[in-house]
Amino acid sequence: MKEIPVQKQSENRPGAGALRPVDMRTFKVACSNCNLRELCMPLGLDAGELARIDELVLTRRQVRRGTALFRHGEAFRSLFAIRSGFFKTCVTADDGRGQVTGFQMAGEIIGLDGIVNNQHTCDAVALEDAEVCVMPFERISELAREVDALQHHLHRIMSREIVREHGVMLLLGSMRAEERLAAFLLNLAQRLHARGLASHELLLRMTREEIGSYLGLTLETVSRAFSKFAEDGIIDVRRRRVRILDTAALQHIVNQPACNMKFS
Amino acid sequence: MKEIPVQKQSENRPGAGALRPVDMRTFKVACSNCNLRELCMPLGLDAGELARIDELVLTRRQVRRGTALFRHGEAFRSLFAIRSGFFKTCVTADDGRGQVTGFQMAGEIIGLDGIVNNQHTCDAVALEDAEVCVMPFERISELAREVDALQHHLHRIMSREIVREHGVMLLLGSMRAEERLAAFLLNLAQRLHARGLASHELLLRMTREEIGSYLGLTLETVSRAFSKFAEDGIIDVRRRRVRILDTAALQHIVNQPACNMKFS
DNA sequence: CGACACCTTGAAGAGGTTCAAGAAATGTGG
DNA sequence: CCACATTTCTTGAACCTCTTCAAGGTGTCG
């Protein structure tokens, strides 16, 4: 399986750089006012705790499409909450093989892989212009000792990631190509729905090759599966625009057990 | 892919139950004396902290071969440190499909999946008679707020699990059958080595079917790969006894990039 | 407009699965 | 303790899914 090349991107797109004569990559913000707070921060904090949480985010940082928020090998210092944009994370084997391990959207936290050895073990690459909140891990740790809700929240986030990966392992280990793609689409739709966004009109931020890497398939197989779904009237595909027409059919495909499964 | 059936086991084996008229499942122990401490507990604690850590383990619990330490759906209360024995963890899809998500040995921690929703999402089944230290999560959380080293240790354990799963995703997503099995054997050997055990004489605790589930292969493919390695003089196989004869060859198989990989 | 990246589709081929049968351990019960 | 049942493992052969290779199409951007 080929490594997925980082998308080239123009370093000076009109409208992005041009309008910002000063460096806007770092400036103070308040979590307490953030409309994504419910997604990345604990609920039920009192005013005092909320004020302290605001200290968590030191700065924000802009990440251009195609560039990395961090790369494997780099020192780990902070977790990142995605404020806007879309990321992929991918690991690379010694021999150069790559694997997309996840796609992350607004409200999700990335960087957890770096905690073990104070060093990132995967790359996080923006698939569209993005902005993240930089939360120094040292600061998170300190605050977690004092604010129980934050401690628990951090633990939940890490546990959730572990459980999510269990699901991916199930997918990679036991599903057929079309089942994988159906599961992938449903997952994306569900996450958009959770953010109050239109969940049947997907605008894919990643290439077929990236989807394929994530799903353990080649880009051709992904493309064929898309075409098959379209042919069956389950979705409507126009390159990266995917409209889900029949969610139930997708769910049926995922739950369709492989020919000889066990009914225990 | 068939679900892996729980191994039947005799509930009253001579020598196990017979010698224990009293219930030995719960009794006090001290982490500070445990020879596995380096594996599951933080290092560099002072005497006072060490004493507090000892409060972490409320009880131990015996788990017979073939029985579950916990099952998905059960309430989550504690993390478990494996003192002896060998476990598998597996997730089950709605349709009954199962996937082994890992094999755990002495010194490793299981139960992290339960933190998110206070409910276990996978099954942990002993593959040989085992004993675990029961560490109530509430107690861990409390203590982590006071002992920095414990807090960091907990975070590291969770992060390590995330990174481990990234590796499994890479394996499932991009490796051929023989590469997967080679990687599996090397991983087992490495973990035994880290425990100071003979790392070239493996006694597999799991069936071919369980290995297959973990590696996303059928049991036949696993068996054939074993035979192939034996034929090539890389290992010596006699059912569950595997002797690694040529570690370098195994490493070479794993790092052998798929035919057309990218050299970026 | 031309170059480039991305996507689609077809055809051939390979790797792994499925099905089947038998062998080797292991456990069971008389 | 031995015979039988069961589980686990091995191996072969046919089949199938997905990959690989190849070509052409589509959209984007300088």
Side-chain angles (χ1 to χ4, degrees):
Chain A
M1 185 156 298
K2 288 184 188 174
E3 182 178 300
I4 291 171
V6 170
Q7 294 174 342
K8 280 228 190 77
Q9 43 74 255
S10 45
E11 274 301 328
N12 42 9
R13 291 162 63 252
L19 295 172
R20 296 202 194 87
V22 294
D23 183 10
M24 295 293 278
R25 291 189 178 192
T26 61
F27 56 94
K28 229 17 202 159
V29 285
C31 289
S32 46
N33 289 331
C34 181
N35 57 358
L36 289 169
R37 201 186 55 205
E38 315 177 339
L39 287 169
C40 56
M41 282 296 151
L43 298 174
L45 297 176
D46 59 40
E49 290 171 329
L50 217 48
R52 305 216 50 192
I53 292 283
D54 280 344
E55 298 167 20
L56 262 188
V57 176
L58 186 61
T59 58
R60 287 194 204 160
R61 185 172 145 194
Q62 307 258 346
V63 188
R64 293 276 174 70
R65 177 156 114 67
T67 63
L69 174 57
F70 55 79
R71 292 207 171 274
H72 69 282
E74 286 179 12
F76 164 78
R77 278 187 234 297
S78 307
L79 296 182
F80 304 94
I82 303 175
R83 238 186 92 71
S84 66
F86 202 89
F87 284 84
K88 69 171 177 183
T89 48
C90 38
V91 293
T92 311
D94 298 338
D95 56 22
R97 250 188 296 232
Q99 170 78 21
V100 172
T101 55
F103 297 108
Q104 295 81 17
M105 55 177 71
E108 296 176 333
I109 309 290
I110 45 185
L112 299 171
D113 61 282
I115 299 173
V116 211
N117 295 316
N118 267 303
Q119 192 169 316
H120 285 289
T121 59
C122 65
D123 299 351
V125 177
L127 296 181
E128 64 179 354
D129 287 359
E131 186 178 35
V132 299
C133 301
V134 180
M135 306 181 290
F137 190 63
E138 195 47 59
R139 201 175 283 207
I140 295 177
S141 300
E142 265 174 53
L143 207 47
R145 281 177 226 135
E146 297 164 28
V147 181
D148 292 10
L150 180 62
Q151 182 196 38
H152 191 230
H153 191 68
L154 177 60
H155 295 159
R156 289 190 65 216
I157 285 173
M158 301 189 80
S159 176
R160 175 183 301 141
E161 179 64 8
I162 290 170
V163 171
R164 181 191 75 81
E165 292 183 3
H166 283 174
V168 178
M169 288 169 66
L170 178 70
L171 178 145
L172 290 171
S174 71
M175 289 188 182
R176 312 213 150 288
E178 290 177 15
E179 297 174 319
R180 297 184 196 188
L181 188 64
F184 170 74
L185 291 174
L186 287 173
N187 176 264
L188 271 188
Q190 176 256 308
R191 283 154 73 196
L192 290 174
H193 184 71
R195 284 161 181 73
L197 303 173
S199 62
H200 291 242
E201 278 286 359
L202 310 180
L203 182 55
L204 303 178
R205 263 53 204 234
M206 68 295 279
T207 66
R208 300 287 190 260
E209 186 169 19
E210 285 162 335
I211 297 172
S213 172
Y214 181 60
L215 299 179
L217 303 169
T218 59
L219 67 98
E220 292 95 333
T221 302
V222 172
S223 180
R224 273 186 258 267
F226 269 127
S227 300
K228 176 68 162 37
F229 288 170
E231 203 175 298
D232 294 351
I234 297 171
I235 61 173
D236 197 72
V237 195
R238 280 270 275 276
R239 293 183 88 78
R240 300 208 178 171
R241 304 197 66 87
V242 176
R243 166 189 284 244
I244 297 177
L245 303 173
D246 190 346
T247 306
L250 285 179
Q251 268 152 356
H252 191 252
I253 289 171
V254 174
N255 290 327
Q256 195 78 317
C259 17
N260 69 335
M261 47 144 298
K262 168 89 167 310
F263 298 90
S264 60
Chain B
M1 184 156 300
K2 288 183 187 176
E3 182 179 297
I4 290 172
V6 170
Q7 294 174 341
K8 277 223 192 80
Q9 44 71 256
S10 46
E11 273 301 325
N12 42 7
R13 291 160 64 252
L19 294 174
R20 295 203 194 87
V22 294
D23 183 11
M24 295 293 279
R25 292 189 178 192
T26 61
F27 57 94
K28 229 17 202 160
V29 285
C31 289
S32 45
N33 289 330
C34 181
N35 58 357
L36 290 169
R37 199 186 57 205
E38 315 177 336
L39 287 169
C40 54
M41 282 296 151
L43 298 174
L45 297 175
D46 60 40
E49 289 170 329
L50 217 48
R52 304 216 50 191
I53 292 282
D54 279 344
E55 297 167 20
L56 261 189
V57 176
L58 186 61
T59 59
R60 287 194 204 161
R61 185 171 144 194
Q62 307 259 346
V63 188
R64 293 276 175 69
R65 174 156 134 18
T67 62
L69 174 58
F70 55 79
R71 291 206 170 276
H72 68 282
E74 285 179 13
F76 164 77
R77 276 187 235 297
S78 307
L79 296 182
F80 304 94
I82 303 176
R83 237 186 94 69
S84 66
F86 201 90
F87 285 84
K88 70 170 176 183
T89 47
C90 39
V91 293
T92 310
D94 298 338
D95 56 24
R97 249 189 297 232
Q99 170 80 20
V100 172
T101 55
F103 296 108
Q104 296 81 18
M105 55 177 70
E108 296 177 332
I109 307 290
I110 45 184
L112 298 171
D113 60 283
I115 298 172
V116 209
N117 295 316
N118 266 302
Q119 191 169 316
H120 285 290
T121 59
C122 65
D123 299 351
V125 176
L127 296 181
E128 64 180 354
D129 288 359
E131 188 179 35
V132 300
C133 301
V134 180
M135 306 181 289
F137 190 63
E138 195 46 60
R139 202 174 282 207
I140 296 177
S141 300
E142 265 174 51
L143 207 49
R145 279 176 228 134
E146 297 164 27
V147 181
D148 293 9
L150 180 62
Q151 181 196 37
H152 191 230
H153 191 68
L154 177 61
H155 294 160
R156 288 190 65 214
I157 285 174
M158 301 189 79
S159 176
R160 176 183 302 141
E161 178 64 10
I162 290 169
V163 171
R164 181 191 74 82
E165 292 183 3
H166 283 174
V168 178
M169 288 168 67
L170 178 71
L171 179 145
L172 291 171
S174 72
M175 289 189 182
R176 314 214 148 287
E178 290 177 15
E179 297 173 320
R180 298 185 196 188
L181 189 64
F184 171 74
L185 291 174
L186 287 173
N187 176 265
L188 271 187
Q190 176 257 307
R191 283 153 73 195
L192 289 175
H193 185 71
R195 284 161 182 73
L197 302 173
S199 62
H200 291 242
E201 277 286 358
L202 310 179
L203 182 56
L204 303 178
R205 264 52 204 236
M206 68 296 278
T207 66
R208 300 287 191 263
E209 185 170 20
E210 286 161 335
I211 297 172
S213 173
Y214 181 60
L215 299 179
L217 303 168
T218 60
L219 67 98
E220 292 94 332
T221 303
V222 172
S223 180
R224 273 185 258 267
F226 270 127
S227 301
K228 175 67 162 39
F229 288 170
E231 202 176 299
D232 294 351
I234 297 171
I235 61 174
D236 196 70
V237 196
R238 280 270 280 276
R239 292 185 87 76
R240 298 208 179 173
R241 302 196 65 85
V242 176
R243 167 188 282 243
I244 297 176
L245 304 173
D246 190 347
T247 306
L250 285 179
Q251 268 151 358
H252 190 252
I253 288 171
V254 174
N255 289 327
Q256 194 78 316
C259 19
N260 68 334
M261 48 145 297
K262 170 91 165 310
F263 298 89
S264 58

